Amino acid sequence: MAVLDIKGISKHFGAGVLAVDNLELTVGDGELVCLLGPSGSGKSTLLRMVGGFETPSGGSITIDGEEVIHLPPERRPTGMVFQSHALWTHMNVYKNIAFGLKLRRRPADEIKRRVDAVMELVGLAGYGERQTHQLSGGQQQRVALARSLVLEPKILLLDEPFASLDQHLRERLREEVRDIQQRLGITTLFVTHGQDEALSMADRIVVLRDGKVEQVAAPDVLYREPATPFVAGFIGTMNLIEGTVSNGTFSRAGFSSPLPVGDGPVTFAVRPEALVIAPAAGAGAAKIHRVTDYGTHAIVDLELPDGLRLKSMVPEARHWTTGQAVDLAPRAFSAYRDNALIYRSNAAR
Amino acid sequence: MAETFAPPRRIDWVGISFAVVLTLVIIFPLIVVGTWAFTNVWRYPAIIPQEFGLRFWSQTLARPDVWSAITTSISLACVVTLLSAIICLPAAFAFARLEFPGRSLLFFSFLAGQAFPKFGLLVAIAGIFLGLNLIGTFWGVVLIQLVGTLLFMIWIPVAAFQGVDRRMEEAARDVGASPLRVFWSITLPQAGPTIAAAVLLTFVNTFYETEGAWLIGAPGIRTMPVLMISFINNQPVIQYGAVLSVILWIPSFFALLFARRVISGGSFARGFGA
Ligand SMILES: Nc1ncnc2c1ncn2[C@@H]1O[C@H](COP(=O)(O)OP(=O)(O)OP(=O)(O)O)[C@@H](O)[C@H]1O
Ligand SMILES: [Mg+2]
């Protein structure tokens, strides 16, 4: 059982940069939590503070209730996998994995048994004598993972471990790592800036922005109920329409929709699959700018009279042509004001 | 028939002239000196020596001053290289990795000695050494040669340490290595081949160094190169100088062999491995 508890943690770099800003996060036993956010949002900095490679400017980090903030990396029960895998090129695969156990002065037969077991686990059986440069990128990343796992850390930390791999390999390793993580029940904090990766792997996702938590939620909740326009725009594709509400109706250029909130400016959010289009009799609300056929579905790019672009997902491309006038009907939508959710239509729940 | 249409083969004049010039400048003198060393009689105008033999080898090697010069040179080069490594390698690590006040100033002061005409500097140091009674002593020469090694032994290892991937070191900390252990098991093996090259250069350079050895060492300390110069100046017989010169090639030869080992295969790095 290992629980990671981060309380009020901050990190300043010099005077100007506040990389992590008074952040709270709890990762439960055996849980995999993804840190997701744009470049520079403080994901790596947070992870490195947990691993002991950056000293926080303030706050506390406990693992199973024990404060670790004053411990150097070598005395923390954490294992880190780096994006650049950082294998020791002067040692072969076996020695890379065995190094940590040797430092702990385990008996030779135990080292051999544990290294062999973990190599089997990550699919590297028989690769022990290889030099690190004789491995593919995916295999190198497996060695890096094995190097951490063999020490049975309480918390596993991964900083964009698949970022340098090609799409196909990334998807495969993603599944494997998730399998291993669940089999071992190891508490894991995973940094990524790919939303696919976060949505497919995580128990919960933490969306970071400028060093602050924007939202913490399970992947499906995050997709269906983004708490802020930033999350709405960051996860999946979302049409964000700035407009105004008066007398219970939202409007922007040719587009309007009933919206039972008080008068004033509002950000109207609707996913492409929830924005239904129909051929218009007259001028319509929007014009079709482009139709892109993806086979399973098609994406219709729309243009409002004031130039704002929207996307709608339709089952088939062939009913639609560029320049055609259409009417818009949002089936499910939500609305934000002052960076907070103020309305969600029934269907969006 | 295809050959008829092939363009006439171009003669690579540039390559040929390079080869010729290199041969004249490097190989030819070596051959001449090497030949002289194994010659008993070679009188003008013969193109090859009248009599080959080892007469001058036995005469040269029979001289006590030659043997004492050989021991002096070897022990000087060893002591200077060792001291230089002990002083410079930690300093290089500090320059590469630590921030401290006056860092850049100190760094460039190490190199300043090489930026100015060396002989003037040597004369000034000789003046100081005279006052300290270091002239003509072994340790006086060690000191002066030590100054000459700073450039290679600081600059190259600094680059080597800076070239080591910090993530590798962090990964070692992560699996439980103390900072000292990281240095020993990760940083040093990673920087090892480059540092070995610097040590090698230092050894060979020190072995061949003459200005300092002569200015500070005379008359008490005579290294091989200094002895060779005096042979050439004082002896009408060329063979003495030639034999000494061939003996002087030996360290270069071993250095080259060693360098080949270090460069090919990276076996040196693995030797350090945990
Ligand atoms: N050593 C450092 N010195 C100064 N500023 C730093 C340092 N490390 C990170 N920063 C700054 O802190 C902020 C957060 O950086 P961090 O590396 O945590 O971002 P990230 O979310 O991991 O981004 P990416 O997705 O690009 O890896 C950035 O503005 C970055 O410039
Ligand atoms: Mg990062």
Side-chain angles (χ1 to χ4, degrees):
Chain A
M1 138 117 193
V3 175
L4 172 66
D5 220 340
I6 299 171
K7 283 209 180 74
I9 207 93
S10 298
K11 177 68 186 178
H12 293 266
F13 286 110
V17 186
L18 182 55
V20 174
D21 186 2
N22 195 18
L23 189 139
E24 310 272 332
L25 176 65
T26 300
V27 184
D29 184 34
E31 195 181 20
L32 190 153
V33 168
C34 266
L35 297 175
L36 181 62
S39 192
S41 56
K43 307 180 295 289
S44 296
T45 306
L46 179 61
L47 202 75
R48 290 171 57 76
M49 285 195 287
V50 177
F53 299 107
E54 302 283 358
T55 316
S57 313
S60 107
I61 298 173
T62 60
I63 294 171
D64 284 344
E66 220 171 291
E67 181 64 64
V68 297
I69 218 147
H70 301 294
L71 297 179
E74 63 267 28
R75 295 191 28 220
R76 294 194 186 192
T78 55
M80 181 124 167
V81 178
F82 296 85
Q83 176 182 339
S84 58
H85 59 71
L87 296 182
W88 304 306
T89 52
H90 58 289
M91 303 183 196
N92 65 19
V93 169
Y94 183 91
K95 283 180 174 163
N96 263 275
I97 302 173
F99 185 61
L101 291 170
K102 275 194 185 148
L103 290 173
R104 285 165 178 70
R105 302 187 189 289
R106 310 309 305 170
D109 55 336
E110 183 195 326
I111 294 182
K112 172 129 181 46
R113 186 168 41 75
R114 284 171 68 174
V115 172
D116 284 347
V118 83
M119 293 212 321
E120 181 82 42
L121 181 71
V122 300
L124 278 178
Y127 283 85
E129 294 305 314
R130 293 269 190 114
Q131 293 301 318
T132 56
H133 63 85
Q134 297 169 320
L135 300 176
S136 70
Q139 289 166 337
Q140 288 173 334
Q141 210 47 273
R142 286 167 208 257
V143 176
L145 183 66
R147 193 167 66 175
S148 288
L149 288 180
V150 77
L151 301 173
E152 297 171 0
K154 287 185 171 177
I155 312 285
L156 185 63
L157 306 169
L158 302 116
D159 192 351
E160 306 200 30
F162 313 137
S164 57
L165 307 177
D166 68 58
Q167 177 68 22
H168 183 70
L169 193 57
R170 205 179 320 173
E171 278 167 19
R172 221 176 75 200
L173 272 175
R174 203 186 276 171
E175 281 170 28
E176 284 182 28
V177 167
R178 178 62 164 153
D179 274 355
I180 291 171
Q181 184 267 335
Q182 285 181 327
R183 196 144 22 116
L184 303 178
I186 186 167
T187 308
T188 304
L189 199 53
F190 191 112
V191 166
T192 175
H193 61 223
Q195 45 160 314
D196 288 354
E197 206 151 282
L199 291 170
S200 66
M201 289 181 80
D203 292 311
R204 282 189 304 150
I205 296 174
V206 179
V207 181
L208 284 182
R209 179 196 193 183
D210 299 334
K212 286 199 270 285
V213 173
E214 194 81 6
Q215 185 175 5
V216 185
D220 55 326
V221 176
L222 205 63
Y223 188 81
R224 279 183 292 110
E225 302 172 17
T228 66
F230 175 80
V231 177
F234 196 74
I235 308 289
T237 315
M238 181 72 94
N239 296 304
L240 290 173
I241 310 166
E242 308 279 348
T244 46
V245 173
S246 69
N247 298 324
T249 303
F250 172 83
S251 60
R252 156 83 185 244
F255 176 80
S256 69
S257 163
L259 184 60
V261 300
D263 291 2
V266 149
T267 304
F268 189 95
V270 54
R271 298 239 179 241
E273 62 267 32
L275 185 61
V276 179
I277 55 175
K287 270 204 165 56
I288 293 181
H289 175 72
R290 184 191 301 129
V291 183
T292 314
D293 196 345
Y294 288 97
T296 55
H297 64 276
I299 296 292
V300 178
D301 282 289
L302 306 159
E303 195 172 288
L304 293 187
D306 67 354
L308 184 75
R309 292 277 171 82
L310 302 176
K311 284 181 192 299
S312 167
M313 193 166 102
V314 296
E316 281 178 277
R318 60 192 167 99
H319 302 304
W320 311 100
T321 51
T322 301
Q324 188 178 357
V326 292
D327 285 323
L328 308 176
R331 248 191 320 108
F333 54 90
S334 36
Y336 301 87
R337 180 176 283 161
D338 298 329
N339 210 31
L341 185 72
I342 53 167
Y343 180 80
R344 177 173 293 134
S345 73
N346 265 330
R349 280 204 191 121
Chain B
M1 282 311 282
E3 260 150 69
T4 329
F5 297 101
R9 182 177 290 191
R10 288 278 211 78
I11 298 173
D12 185 0
W13 286 112
V14 179
I16 289 174
S17 25
F18 260 119
V20 168
V21 168
L22 278 180
T23 310
L24 283 181
V25 173
I26 298 176
I27 311 287
F28 188 66
L30 288 183
I31 291 174
V32 170
V33 173
T35 313
W36 265 116
F38 296 96
T39 293
N40 287 351
V41 185
W42 191 357
R43 283 192 205 89
Y44 187 79
I47 294 182
I48 55 166
Q50 279 88 355
E51 188 188 337
F52 286 104
L54 293 174
R55 180 150 60 91
F56 285 91
W57 280 85
S58 49
Q59 279 183 18
T60 309
L61 292 179
R63 296 177 59 131
D65 57 348
V66 168
W67 281 106
S68 85
I70 289 177
T71 8
T72 306
S73 273
I74 290 176
S75 37
L76 259 179
C78 287
V79 168
V80 169
T81 306
L82 192 72
L83 281 181
S84 181
I86 291 172
I87 296 168
C88 295
L89 294 184
F93 186 75
F95 279 127
R97 287 301 170 76
L98 311 177
E99 270 305 327
F100 50 88
R103 182 174 164 276
S104 354
L105 194 73
L106 210 58
F107 188 46
F108 283 102
S109 74
F110 269 116
L111 313 174
Q114 308 286 330
F116 302 106
K118 209 169 154 207
F119 207 73
L121 196 72
L122 285 175
V123 170
I125 293 178
I128 301 171
F129 279 17
L130 201 59
L132 296 171
N133 272 334
L134 282 168
I135 296 290
T137 66
F138 182 79
W139 292 103
V141 178
V142 166
L143 269 181
I144 196 74
Q145 293 193 326
L146 204 51
V147 174
T149 64
L150 293 182
L151 180 77
F152 284 133
M153 284 296 266
I154 297 270
W155 192 282
I156 297 177
V158 161
F161 284 130
Q162 278 174 342
V164 177
D165 181 3
R166 300 302 289 269
R167 297 281 181 259
M168 268 190 211
E169 298 177 334
E170 289 183 345
R173 290 292 295 276
D174 196 58
V175 300
S178 66
L180 204 68
R181 185 64 201 246
V182 171
F183 178 78
W184 186 248
S185 296
I186 309 296
T187 317
L188 209 53
Q190 287 287 326
T194 315
I195 289 177
V199 171
L200 213 65
L201 267 174
T202 302
F203 185 87
V204 173
N205 274 353
T206 310
F207 199 89
Y208 293 135
E209 200 273 344
T210 49
E211 293 171 351
W214 175 72
L215 203 68
I216 304 293
I221 298 294
R222 269 186 160 187
T223 64
M224 290 270 287
V226 171
L227 187 70
M228 191 178 81
I229 291 171
S230 73
F231 269 25
I232 291 167
N233 287 343
N234 305 333
Q235 300 268 351
V237 185
I238 295 175
Q239 279 92 331
Y240 284 119
V243 167
L244 273 192
S245 167
V246 170
I247 295 175
L248 274 173
W249 294 347
I250 294 171
S252 300
F253 183 70
F254 279 109
L256 278 178
L257 278 187
F258 188 60
R260 246 179 64 103
R261 246 190 59 126
V262 168
I263 292 162
S264 65
S267 54
F268 192 79
R270 248 171 277 137
F272 270 114

